[in-house]
Amino acid sequence: DINGGLQTALSLVDSERPAYILFLSGGQPTEGEVNVPAILDNVTQNAPDGIRLFSFGVGDDVDTVLLDTIAQQNHGASVYVRPGEALDQAVGELYGKISTPVLTDLSLTMDGAQIEELYPTPLPDLYAGSQAIIAGTYRAGGPVTITLSGMVNGEAQSFIYEGQSLSTEGGQESLPRLWATRKIGYLLTQIRLYGEKPEWVEAIVDLSVRYGIVTPYTSYLITEDDILTQTGRANAVATQSAEFDEEAPVSGEAAVNASQDQASMSGGASGDAAPAAPTDEYAGQVVVIGSRA
């Protein structure tokens, strides 16, 4: 009874204190309310502001959409304990991390530059011993003042870094691809959780072709000679959309792999600097040299 368990936990939350819920599931809803959209609605209606809800999927027979959506909508993250892995170790590692929050409800501004499309989104909380690698785009470079704001023990705090600057040209070759990977991971997660939108697919294809990032929409088996043109990209999307007409699985090994891959790409799971390559069988054939793939 997943719905009953979640509602009981939410009813115990003291809204005046920081609250964390660790939700462990080894399967799918089979008792009580079994409709996943209804369960998600119930969580949304009853979750206090500021709750952090982390979901653990134990094994592969779990509803990844349910677990990922609950975590994404409640300032948490999903952790999957695969067959043969130790559950107590996974829970212990997460508990050790979240037991010492440093800064929550982060926001980042840069006075002097027009900043757009920061990823991961929303920005993750900061805990002792962790880091957040945030990638975004900006228009023009030059001097900027960076302000990082958030909550510490229920009180608003801001940290101001003056005398910083953004490059007007050049820069690290790896950064554009890092940002593109983060954005693709975010968009793939949105599609998996909320359904396909044409503008999301188009953005994924454009970024994938430009930066050589493997995605379900740009399989390297596609042989259009004009893949770099608008027509070629449209053909690629049409081909892949036809292959993905059937609804993607929400449970099983493939579903869990997709969730973990997309979390790694988006940076939402750990904030690691280097996103992991997808487990797609063709990903190993791609070599990145500088800004080229």
Side-chain angles (χ1 to χ4, degrees):
D1 186 357
I2 288 176
N3 182 72
L6 287 169
Q7 295 310 310
T8 299
L10 291 170
S11 70
L12 299 173
V13 171
D14 180 354
S15 60
E16 298 301 317
R17 303 173 58 194
Y20 293 78
I21 292 177
L22 306 185
F23 168 51
L24 289 84
S25 173
Q28 304 177 46
T30 56
E31 298 289 340
E33 177 60 71
V34 297
N35 181 266
V36 170
I39 295 174
L40 294 173
D41 287 342
N42 291 338
V43 172
T44 300
Q45 292 172 11
N46 297 305
D49 292 338
I51 188 76
R52 264 65 183 164
L53 203 160
F54 293 83
S55 59
F56 282 83
V58 184
D60 289 340
D61 186 28
V62 292
D63 191 313
T64 58
V65 170
L66 172 63
L67 299 183
D68 291 349
T69 305
I70 286 176
Q72 185 182 79
Q73 294 180 349
N74 294 279
H75 310 283
S78 300
V79 178
Y80 290 95
V81 185
R82 309 304 293 271
E85 295 180 350
L87 174 60
D88 56 345
Q89 180 179 346
V91 175
E93 288 177 353
L94 178 65
Y95 185 82
K97 169 184 172 182
I98 66 176
S99 61
T100 314
V102 175
L103 194 66
T104 62
D105 298 315
L106 269 64
S107 66
L108 185 71
T109 60
M110 294 190 185
D111 186 22
Q114 182 179 345
I115 304 298
E116 300 173 340
E117 296 195 277
L118 292 179
Y119 296 98
T121 182
L123 298 183
D125 293 338
L126 279 176
Y127 300 95
S130 69
Q131 63 178 351
I133 306 298
I134 302 168
T137 64
Y138 63 90
R139 300 178 184 276
V144 295
T145 297
I146 302 175
T147 302
L148 178 65
S149 303
M151 303 295 293
V152 180
N153 294 327
E155 297 184 1
Q157 297 281 347
S158 293
F159 302 89
I160 301 175
Y161 304 90
E162 299 178 330
Q164 308 298 311
S165 64
L166 297 176
S167 299
T168 56
E169 60 182 351
Q172 294 292 327
E173 290 183 335
S174 61
L175 291 183
R177 192 172 191 270
L178 171 64
W179 169 81
T181 303
R182 292 281 189 250
K183 181 173 181 178
I184 287 175
Y186 169 77
L187 292 174
L188 287 173
T189 299
Q190 297 304 104
I191 289 174
R192 186 169 55 85
L193 298 184
Y194 306 113
E196 195 174 76
K197 292 185 178 180
E199 59 270 26
W200 291 348
V201 175
E202 183 177 355
I204 289 172
V205 172
D206 286 344
L207 290 169
S208 176
V209 170
R210 179 175 179 181
Y211 295 102
I213 300 169
V214 177
T215 76
Y217 293 99
T218 49
S219 168
Y220 278 45
L221 288 178
I222 290 180
T223 58
E224 277 82 2
D225 294 330
D226 56 350
I227 189 64
L228 297 179
T229 69
Q230 185 61 42
T231 300
R233 288 196 296 271
N235 290 339
V237 173
T239 302
Q240 291 304 304
S241 294
E243 291 185 12
F244 290 92
D245 273 346
E246 295 185 6
E247 188 173 343
V250 299
S251 65
E253 182 179 359
V256 176
N257 286 341
S259 175
Q260 291 182 316
D261 288 345
Q262 291 162 18
S264 174
M265 292 178 73
S266 67
S270 61
D272 293 335
T279 55
D280 184 284
E281 61 180 306
Y282 304 108
Q285 300 178 17
V286 181
V287 178
V288 178
I289 302 176
S291 61
R292 300 286 184 176

